[in-house]
């Protein structure tokens, strides 16, 4: 009976300690994780259809980002957009497409695009390797004067 009580007490203590360690790790991981997102808004040139641009983005342009560790790109198109006073979803100032660039950390973002405004050697080599594709971005498909560039440091997430 004595051994049974000691065994049961030991198991309870072990379970309490384990649950505390897992809770501590869970809270630390979400607080220490910071990443950067950089949405880029693109407006189509006149005469370019959304279907043509979407096909090019999916099949040619987005492929380029697979070779950069810690740097990813998602592409989407406007579903609805409205300003404060336009509830009818016809406000299109953000463009026709959005590309959201994800950097695993601020260090990854600074590695590829240092704060001095230069581009890393890895990005320069990637552009040189796929120069014809990069030339089409503003040369054939999108209007550079309407390009919007924003970056956000993300520090928390719901899940």
């Amino acid at each position: 009976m004595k051994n049974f009580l000691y065994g049961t007490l030991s198991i309870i203590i072990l379970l309490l300690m384990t649950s505390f360690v897992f809770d501590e790790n869970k809270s630390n991981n979400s607080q220490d994780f910071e990443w950067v997102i950089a949405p880029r808004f693109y407006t189509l040139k006149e005469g370019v259809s959304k279907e043509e641009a979407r096909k090019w983005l999916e099949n040619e342009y987005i492929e380029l980002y697979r070779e950069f560790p810690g740097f990813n790109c998602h592409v989407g198109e406007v579903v609805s957009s409205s300003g404060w006073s336009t509830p009818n979803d016809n406000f299109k100032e953000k463009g026709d497409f959005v590309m959201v660039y994800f950097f695993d950390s601020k260090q990854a973002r600074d590695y590829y695009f240092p704060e001095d405004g230069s581009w890393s050697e890895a990005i320069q080599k990637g552009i040189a390797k796929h120069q014809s594709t990069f030339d089409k971005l503003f040369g054939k498909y999108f209007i550079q004067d309407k390009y919007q560039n924003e970056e956000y440091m993300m520090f928390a997430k719901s899940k």
Side-chain angles (χ1 to χ4, degrees), residues 7-46:
T8 303
L9 186 58
S10 296
I11 290 172
I12 291 171
I13 291 172
L14 183 63
L15 288 173
L16 287 173
M17 288 174 47
T18 305
S19 67
F20 176 74
V21 169
F22 285 131
D23 284 347
E24 187 70 17
N25 286 339
K26 185 178 178 182
S27 65
N28 285 342
N29 288 340
S30 65
Q31 291 175 3
D32 293 339
F33 188 67
E34 293 183 332
W35 65 103
V36 175
I37 64 166
R40 305 289 192 256
F41 301 96
Y42 295 87
T43 301
L44 288 171
K45 285 189 169 187
E46 192 173 323

Side-chain angles (χ1 to χ4, degrees), residues 12 35 38 42 48 73 91-92 104 116 121 129 140 150:
I12 291 171
W35 65 103
Y42 295 87
V48 177
C73 178
F91 185 75
K92 299 290 183 191
D104 290 350
D116 65 5
E121 187 175 324
K129 183 177 173 182
K140 180 176 180 180
E150 300 175 351

Side-chain angles (χ1 to χ4, degrees), residues 20-21 28 60 72 88 97 113 120 126 157:
F20 176 74
V21 169
N28 285 342
E60 192 172 338
N72 193 7
N88 60 357
F97 287 93
F113 302 99
S120 72
K157 56 186 177 179

Side-chain angles (χ1 to χ4, degrees), residues 68 111-114 118-128:
F68 300 115
Y111 167 75
Y112 289 112
F113 302 99
S118 65
W119 290 7
S120 72
E121 187 175 324
I123 293 295
Q124 292 176 39
K125 284 181 180 179
I127 289 173

